[in-house]
Amino acid sequence: MSIKSDLRSFLTLNGELFRFSLRFFRHGLNPPFEFSEFLKQCYVIGYKSLPLIGLTAFIMGLVLTMQLRPSMADYGVEAQLPAIVAIAVIREVGPVITALIFAGKIGSSIGAELGSMKVTEQIDAMEVSGTNPFKYLVATRVLACTLMLPVLVMLGDAVSLYGAYLGVNIHSNTSFILYWTQVFDNLVFGDVLPAFTKSFFFGFAVGIIGCYKGYNSSKGTEGVGRSANSAVVVSSVLIFVIDLLAVQVTDILGY
């Protein structure tokens, strides 16, 4: 009985989330647009997330380099360390880790913010006053997440590669120019494009799930906390699912 109930809840969640997404594409992208709120959300979601993303990316690049060095030295390919780290960061580690940090910070924030507005009936008050809460609250945040995460991924990749440069120079003396020459000589367009493309889908997933959980929150303050928590969990799982699908697609396309 429990399995049937869990399956029913899972299918119901997917159906409601799909309908919520269709509502976003049907109504959220049509004029009039809330440009001022959209720019504000880009600032809050993008710029204010940069310190956390940058710190995480720097540590990630440094640690990844230090962990790979002993194994590569055993096989006599230590000179290829910058190239290997660059490919790993650009193709997979950078976008996924950045998206997960983004989901933890922004997904929970959106879920809690909209959940608080829902349980305190602020969303209902906006509808009564003639404002479209879906356009003002949901569309602006989803679009901001979709556009800002790829920017954060690019900046995070750059910071991560700089951290890797410092990691390379812990046990050797590689010049700054030589390091970046090795990095760019081993990167091709097929490494950058799939990673950059899937970061848009990561951002959309975090934004739409955070908004869905908050917009449909209930049961008072307990429901707000539950919305924030489930927004992080569901969006994190969906990031891995999207990444798996993206790997399969890029493999089929030959990237």
Side-chain angles (χ1 to χ4, degrees), residues 166-231:
L166 298 181
V168 167
N169 280 277
I170 290 178
H171 298 287
S172 64
N173 187 17
T174 304
S175 69
F176 189 78
I177 296 177
L178 176 60
Y179 170 81
W180 288 105
T181 300
Q182 289 180 295
V183 167
F184 288 113
D185 282 349
N186 289 277
L187 286 175
V188 296
F189 187 71
D191 295 324
V192 179
L193 180 62
F196 182 71
T197 302
K198 68 184 179 182
S199 62
F200 284 97
F201 292 94
F202 291 161
F204 176 78
V206 173
I208 199 71
I209 291 174
C211 289
Y212 168 76
K213 291 293 185 180
Y215 205 79
N216 294 281
S217 181
S218 59
K219 299 181 180 179
T221 55
E222 179 185 354
V224 174
R226 190 174 299 171
S227 297
N229 179 68
S230 59

Side-chain angles (χ1 to χ4, degrees), residues 39-127:
L39 294 177
K40 175 187 174 183
Q41 291 304 319
C42 287
Y43 171 78
V44 172
I45 290 172
Y47 179 76
K48 289 196 172 182
S49 299
L50 187 57
L52 178 61
I53 298 294
L55 177 62
T56 304
F58 177 80
I59 296 174
M60 177 179 63
L62 182 62
V63 171
L64 183 62
T65 304
M66 296 174 65
Q67 291 286 351
L68 284 175
R69 175 185 291 277
S71 299
M72 298 186 68
D74 291 341
Y75 289 99
V77 291
E78 189 176 355
Q80 296 297 319
L81 183 59
I84 297 299
V85 172
I87 292 172
V89 168
I90 296 297
R91 287 187 69 101
E92 190 63 27
V93 179
V96 173
I97 298 299
T98 302
L100 291 175
I101 299 298
F102 188 81
K105 183 180 187 300
I106 301 302
S108 61
S109 175
I110 292 176
E113 182 183 10
L114 296 191
S116 298
M117 297 181 70
K118 179 69 174 181
V119 299
T120 56
E121 299 181 349
Q122 295 182 50
I123 294 179
D124 296 334
M126 292 178 67
E127 292 179 345

Side-chain angles (χ1 to χ4, degrees), residues 12 17 37 117 159 247:
T12 301
L17 184 59
E37 179 65 14
M117 297 181 70
V159 173
V247 170

Side-chain angles (χ1 to χ4, degrees), residues 17-26 28-29 45 99 102-103 106-107 110 134 138-150 196-212 231 234-235 238-239 242:
L17 184 59
F18 180 73
R19 186 171 59 181
F20 191 80
S21 302
L22 288 180
R23 184 180 177 188
F24 166 77
F25 287 110
R26 189 182 304 116
L29 300 180
I45 290 172
F102 188 81
I106 301 302
I110 292 176
F134 195 90
V138 176
T140 54
R141 284 162 175 78
V142 174
L143 287 175
C145 287
T146 305
L147 296 179
M148 287 296 103
L149 183 55
F196 182 71
T197 302
K198 68 184 179 182
S199 62
F200 284 97
F201 292 94
F202 291 161
F204 176 78
V206 173
I208 199 71
I209 291 174
C211 289
Y212 168 76
V234 176
S235 58
L238 191 55
I239 285 170
I242 294 173

